[in-house]
Amino acid sequence: MSRKLHEKARHLLSQERQILPLPEFKDRGGELSIALAYPNRYYTAMSNLGFQAVYWLFNQAPGTVCQRAFLPDPEDIPEYRRTETPLFSLESQQPVRSFHILAFSVSYENDYPHLLTMMDLAGIPLLRKDRGESSPLVLAGGAAIMMNPEPLADFVDFFVIGEAEEIIGSLTETLRKGRQAGLPREALLSHLTGLEGVYVTRSYTPTYKADGTIESFTPQEGFPPRVKKAWLKDLNASVTVSPIVTPNTELSNMLLLELSRGCRRGCRFCAGCYSYFPHRHRDAGLLAKAAVQGKGSAQKVGLVGAAISDYPEILPLGREILQEQIPLSFSSLRVDSLSPELADLAFQSGQRTITLAPEAGSERMRRIIKKGFTEEAILGAAETLAERGFKHFRLYFMVGLPEEGREDVKAIIDLARKIQHHALVKSPGKKKPEKITLSLNSFVPKPGTPFQWHPLEDLSGLNEKIRMVKDGLRKERNISVTADLPKWAYLQNLLSRGDRRVGKLLLAAHKLGGNWPQAYRSVDLNPDFYVYRGRPFEEILPWDFIDGGVKKEYLWKEYQAALLEGKESAAC
Ligand code: SF4
C-alpha cells in the first residue's frame, strides 16, 4: 500500500467543492456499491460533464453509494505496481475490486485501452469469462459505447446504451434487489433482460462469413434482437450540472451546465447529433437557477451543448447568469447563429478566445458534409467578433472528408487567410488578430452517422494534406496550425467501427505495453479491414443491433446524397 498515492488522493479531495449534495463517504457503504471509473486521468475526467452527472445520479439512487476511480497519472503507475497497491476509489480509498459494480463512463474510443489498464491495476480479471463471484460486475456506458460497444464485449459484462437519467433508477433497483436475494452474477445478469438500454454481452452471439463480415448476431431466448437506446424524453425532468468543481482539471473551477442534447442540423459526420437524437433543450429558468447554485464555489459557468448558439434562449439566459456576476464560457459558436448580441455577451463575460468550426475550407465540401453555411457567413462572423475586440480565434477544420480533393484542402489555407484579413479590417485599430490557432483533425467516420460506411483516408494521404496546410500557412506569423497524428485517427476508427474480434487486438496491445504496431503483427486480424474498407448497405454492421431511433435507410440516403453532391461538384 503506497502512502504517497493515498496522500495524493486526499489532496485532490480536499481541493474539491461540492455544488450538489453528496453523501459522506466514510467507507464503501451502501446496499449496492459502485466504483464509477473514468478511463483517463483525474485532470481530464473532472471536465467531463457526462461522468460527473452519472456520479451524482448513482448517488441519488436509493441504497446506492457511488465513488470515483481514475486512470492514475503516468508517473504513478510504477508506484502502484512497485507497492502492489490495488487501484482504489478516490473518496474512501477502498480497493475498486471490493465494490459490487465497476462502472466505466467512456466518452472516447482512444480510452478503451485504459479500461484494461485500470482493471489490471485493480486486480480484476480482464476477460469477463475469467471473472467469478468475487469480482465486481463490470459495466460500461457513455458516448462511445452508445455508438458501438462491440470491441469491449469480451471485457465488459453488460453495457448501458443510452442516457443515464433514463436507466439508472431501474438498473440500480434491479441490481440491489438481486443482491439482496443473494443471486449469483449470472442470474443477476439474466435479471437485467428487458431493461431498456441494457445490453448483456454474453447473451448475443455473432457469427462471421468467410470474407470476415458478420453473418448473424443472435440473442439468447428472452433477449430482444435489437437493444433500444434509452433517452430522456423531457430534458426538463432533470438538470445536468457538475456536482463538483475543482482547480485540478482542464476546465478549472468551472461549473458545467447542459443546455441541450442532440442537434437539429444533421451534419453528416456528426456523432453528437445522431447519437443524441432527437434534439431537445431545457428551459432557461431551470438553467439559470442551476447556474446560480454554483455562485461562490465555481469561478465560471461553462455552457454545454452540441450547438449552443442555436439554443433559443441563449441571450436571456446568458444575461441572467452574468447579472449574478458569474462569468460565462462558451464552447464553439456556429457562425450562422452568431449575432452581434451574442458576441457582446461572450466578450462581456470575459471570454477572449473564440472557437469557430467551419470544418471544411470550400463551400463544396461544406455542402457534402451538410455544414450548410457560406463563406460569407464565416467571414461575417469573424468581422463581428473582431469588431467587439476578440483577438484570439480557434478554428476547427477536418481533412480526409469524403470526396475531398486538393482544391478543398487548399481552400482551408485560403479561408484561414481571409478570416485573418476580415478580422483585421474590422478590429479596433485595424490590427491583425494576435493569434489564430487552426486545429486540424483527421476525419474519422463514426457509427450511426451517414458516413458510417465510408473508409478512412489512408495515412499517407492524411499526412500529406496536413503538411499541405502547414506549409501553406507557414509564412503567416499569427496563424499556427496544430494537427492530430493520423495514426491515432486510424486507431480511433478501428476501435469505433470494430466488431468483437477487435478485443483480441486490445488485449494484445495491453500485454505489449501499448505497442500497437507489434499488436497488429501478433494477432491474426487485419485492422485495415475495419478502417480502410467501404461497406455496402446490405452488410450487417457490428452496431446494427442498437436501435438509436434513426433508420439505417435514412442514413444511407444521406450518405448517397453526399456522394452525389461530391460527383456533381467534383473538385479540380
Ligand atoms: S451544427 Fe454542430 S452539433 Fe449540430 S450537427 Fe452540425 S456539427 Fe453537429
Side-chain angles (χ1 to χ4, degrees):
M1 200 66 96
S2 163
R3 260 178 62 178
K4 192 174 135 199
L5 294 171
H6 284 267
E7 266 165 27
K8 186 168 177 179
R10 280 194 289 273
H11 175 71
L12 287 173
L13 263 183
S14 70
Q15 299 214 310
E16 292 185 339
R17 268 152 302 152
Q18 282 184 13
I19 305 291
L20 299 179
L22 286 160
E24 259 198 61
F25 298 101
K26 289 202 181 68
D27 53 29
R28 209 193 57 209
E31 294 161 33
L32 180 69
S33 60
I34 299 176
L36 176 65
Y38 192 89
N40 211 317
R41 305 159 57 206
Y42 178 94
Y43 181 81
T44 308
M46 291 303 288
S47 291
N48 186 294
L49 180 55
F51 170 72
Q52 286 231 32
V54 169
Y55 173 59
W56 189 75
L57 286 166
F58 270 137
N59 276 307
Q60 298 312 296
T64 306
V65 168
C66 171
Q67 302 187 27
R68 291 161 290 162
F70 304 91
L71 178 76
D73 290 331
E75 66 275 16
D76 291 337
I77 291 184
E79 175 76 0
Y80 271 95
R81 301 220 191 268
R82 191 185 62 77
T83 58
E84 293 181 8
T85 303
L87 188 73
F88 54 84
S89 67
L90 182 73
E91 288 82 352
S92 67
Q93 299 174 21
Q94 305 279 311
V96 159
R97 66 168 176 246
S98 69
F99 284 71
H100 300 135
I101 307 284
L102 169 59
F104 283 101
S105 170
V106 194
S107 293
Y108 307 105
E109 299 88 350
N110 284 7
D111 282 340
Y112 287 1
H114 301 152
L115 270 84
L116 276 61
T117 308
M118 290 179 77
M119 283 199 274
D120 196 10
L121 288 170
I124 296 171
L126 301 184
L127 293 168
R128 63 182 158 79
K129 70 174 174 56
D130 296 337
R131 293 198 281 267
E133 295 301 327
S134 61
S135 293
L137 277 177
V138 177
L139 106 83
I145 301 302
M146 231 193 291
M147 287 187 271
N148 176 24
E150 281 301 276
L152 289 173
D154 287 342
F155 312 105
V156 171
D157 294 302
F158 68 101
F159 294 98
V160 162
I161 310 283
E163 298 174 4
E165 296 89 344
E166 270 306 280
I167 308 177
I168 280 182
S170 53
L171 178 66
T172 49
E173 193 187 337
T174 308
L175 290 170
R176 198 165 46 84
K177 287 191 173 156
R179 284 201 53 78
Q180 275 168 353
L183 295 181
R185 58 193 290 131
E186 283 304 312
L188 206 49
L189 285 171
S190 299
H191 259 61
L192 300 175
T193 328
L195 287 187
E196 192 169 309
V198 173
Y199 165 44
V200 179
T201 327
R202 61 129 164 88
S203 303
Y204 292 78
T205 311
T207 59
Y208 303 96
K209 295 180 193 167
D211 66 2
T213 57
I214 296 173
E215 184 170 47
S216 64
F217 193 82
T218 316
Q220 265 175 17
E221 210 186 312
F223 283 80
R226 294 190 80 203
V227 177
K228 232 176 158 69
K229 180 186 86 179
W231 59 283
L232 187 59
K233 277 86 195 162
D234 177 12
L235 225 50
N236 287 324
S238 96
V239 179
T240 305
V241 60
S242 31
I244 290 174
V245 292
T246 170
N248 299 304
T249 187
E250 212 174 327
L251 303 175
S252 166
N253 288 317
M254 192 186 289
L255 177 98
L256 299 171
L257 182 63
E258 188 194 46
L259 309 187
S260 60
R261 254 175 230 182
C263 179
R264 64 190 164 86
R265 306 274 187 169
C267 302
R268 291 178 177 129
F269 62 88
C270 182
C273 170
Y274 287 95
S275 300
Y276 289 96
F277 174 86
H279 176 224
R280 293 144 285 161
H281 56 78
R282 288 195 170 87
D283 286 350
L286 268 181
L287 293 170
K289 222 163 116 191
V292 171
Q293 271 179 297
K295 200 172 172 179
S297 300
Q299 289 171 1
K300 243 182 187 186
V301 169
L303 303 179
V304 177
I308 57 166
S309 47
D310 276 355
Y311 177 68
E313 295 172 272
I314 187 76
L315 287 175
L317 172 67
R319 285 174 186 146
E320 195 172 340
I321 296 175
L322 267 189
Q323 256 171 24
E324 293 288 339
Q325 312 292 327
I326 313 172
L328 279 169
S329 168
F330 296 84
S331 51
S332 164
L333 297 174
R334 229 190 112 93
V335 298
D336 52 357
S337 48
L338 176 70
S339 62
E341 293 81 5
L342 185 55
D344 281 335
L345 190 70
F347 198 78
Q348 281 159 18
S349 65
Q351 190 152 341
R352 292 297 174 262
T353 302
I354 210 84
T355 302
L356 301 174
E359 310 288 8
S362 67
E363 291 208 10
R364 165 186 183 270
M365 220 43 253
R366 285 195 296 275
R367 280 200 305 277
I368 291 172
I369 63 175
K370 217 175 172 179
K371 189 97 187 187
F373 42 66
T374 59
E375 184 166 297
E376 205 186 335
I378 299 169
L379 299 177
E383 288 181 0
T384 304
L385 292 164
E387 262 172 347
R388 265 125 199 110
F390 282 99
K391 294 185 180 120
H392 296 176
F393 294 80
R394 179 175 283 277
L395 307 173
Y396 282 119
F397 286 98
M398 286 186 280
V399 286
L401 288 162
E403 302 292 307
E404 182 182 74
R406 285 180 67 82
E407 281 305 306
D408 299 305
V409 181
K410 193 174 159 289
I412 297 175
I413 303 166
D414 296 340
L415 184 56
R417 285 208 190 101
K418 284 182 197 166
I419 289 174
Q420 177 174 243
H421 176 72
H422 281 252
L424 173 149
V425 170
K426 290 289 175 174
S427 70
K430 302 264 178 292
K431 284 193 182 133
K432 274 188 184 178
E434 280 169 13
K435 197 168 159 204
I436 295 183
T437 305
L438 195 150
S439 172
L440 208 52
N441 290 301
S442 302
F443 164 64
V444 177
K446 288 292 170 99
T449 68
F451 291 148
Q452 64 179 353
W453 292 277
H454 200 77
L456 185 85
E457 175 155 351
D458 68 81
L459 296 192
S460 59
L462 290 170
N463 278 315
E464 194 197 323
K465 287 176 174 177
I466 290 170
R467 232 182 353 258
M468 199 174 145
V469 176
K470 283 187 169 171
D471 289 346
L473 291 169
R474 203 172 297 284
K475 292 206 179 114
E476 303 294 340
R477 282 214 343 264
N478 296 359
I479 304 180
S480 63
V481 181
T482 62
D484 62 349
L485 287 175
K487 69 172 182 178
W488 295 120
Y490 181 96
L491 179 61
Q492 190 191 348
N493 203 217
L494 170 68
L495 297 177
S496 74
R497 290 199 294 177
D499 57 35
R500 220 171 257 207
R501 294 167 296 182
V502 168
K504 283 192 234 158
L505 280 169
L506 270 167
L507 193 57
H510 175 73
K511 287 183 179 157
L512 292 163
N515 186 336
W516 280 92
Q518 212 178 328
Y520 295 146
R521 286 194 295 275
S522 70
V523 172
D524 182 21
L525 195 70
N526 179 8
D528 289 356
F529 172 80
Y530 299 97
V531 176
Y532 288 152
R533 193 173 55 89
R535 284 89 162 153
F537 176 74
E538 305 71 43
E539 181 173 329
I540 299 176
L541 303 172
W543 53 92
D544 271 355
F545 73 94
I546 296 174
D547 178 0
V550 183
K551 286 207 161 66
K552 199 174 170 183
E553 289 75 11
Y554 174 79
L555 297 176
W556 181 257
K557 217 172 95 199
E558 281 291 291
Y559 180 41
Q560 295 309 305
L563 296 182
L564 188 68
E565 177 74 55
K567 281 186 187 69
E568 283 177 357
S569 58
C572 313

